Amino acid sequence: MNDTSRPAAAPAAIRVFIALAPPDDAKDELARALAPAYAAHPGMRWNRIEDWHITLAFLGELPVTVVPRLRAPLAELAAERGPLELSLRGGGQFDSRVLWSGIAGDVPGLHRLADDVRGLVKEAGIAYEGRPLRPHLTLARARRGDLAGVPEAAGVLDGFEGRAWPTARLHLVGSDDARGPAPVRYRDIESWPFTGTGPGAGTRTGTGA
């Protein structure tokens, strides 16, 4: 008889990214604007609102033993910086497959922050060859064989102008160990407040994308 009382083995690898997260009221504002798209396209693979993030660096699957290397440098970076002022604006699509909302506000500062985050990843000895940053918030993906829903849903966000908000924290995010058809769920591994006295668009020396 199998012993089912043993706890499941901890995963050896975890999917990791570093991100910013809009505050709840800004996400609720966007969700209200999306209501017609939710109703018209319930079959799309809608991301949970809890998982809405602005990704600065997607690291893919890492050994769990490597992830702690990122904690101290990311904490230091957040402590050096003040918040960025951002907002959610409009919507668009990638290849009729991915629905997103755009990012407005201090976009140059956002790029500099992403460059510094990516530099810290490399300094921590983690290989990183990510794509250039295209600031956005991923909202949904098309189901296989249905490429009409994403462009139509993007049209719902034409003219959407969300309120401005300050970035509160820098998030180190990891996936659960779900495999198969179940959607991947994300959780904060750790996050750090932006508490620096300098501007959010400040720069560091010796780092880069």
Side-chain angles (χ1 to χ4, degrees), residues 4-73:
T4 59
S5 64
R6 295 179 182 176
I14 185 172
R15 190 179 303 176
V16 177
F17 62 89
I18 301 162
L20 304 173
D24 288 345
D25 55 351
K27 291 190 288 188
D28 290 343
E29 187 179 33
L30 178 57
R32 288 192 295 271
L34 279 170
Y38 285 139
H41 304 285
M44 284 171 49
R45 295 166 54 200
W46 291 97
N47 287 1
R48 300 187 311 162
I49 292 177
E50 299 95 318
D51 290 336
W52 284 357
H53 289 89
I54 303 166
T55 302
L56 302 174
F58 183 78
L59 309 185
E61 288 208 351
L62 297 178
V64 293
T65 55
V66 166
V67 176
R69 296 183 199 169
L70 295 168
R71 284 188 161 100

Side-chain angles (χ1 to χ4, degrees), residues 119-182:
L120 290 176
V121 170
K122 292 181 179 180
E123 289 174 6
I126 299 170
Y128 183 77
E129 297 296 338
R131 298 176 180 175
L133 181 69
R134 300 176 66 179
H136 67 279
L137 192 74
T138 300
L139 304 173
R141 289 173 171 80
R143 293 286 183 186
R144 182 174 297 179
D146 177 16
L147 299 183
V150 166
E152 292 173 8
V156 169
L157 293 178
D158 286 348
F160 172 73
E161 297 270 354
R163 70 167 187 83
W165 39 269
T167 55
R169 305 181 74 87
L170 182 63
H171 297 261
L172 178 62
V173 185
S175 70
D176 59 19
D177 60 350
R179 294 292 185 270

Side-chain angles (χ1 to χ4, degrees), residues 11 16 19 98 166 185 205:
V16 177
V98 178
R185 302 302 190 194
T205 59

Side-chain angles (χ1 to χ4, degrees), residues 80-94:
E80 292 174 354
R81 299 297 182 86
L84 297 167
E85 186 170 280
L86 302 175
S87 62
L88 302 174
R89 177 182 295 175
Q93 56 178 302
F94 295 138

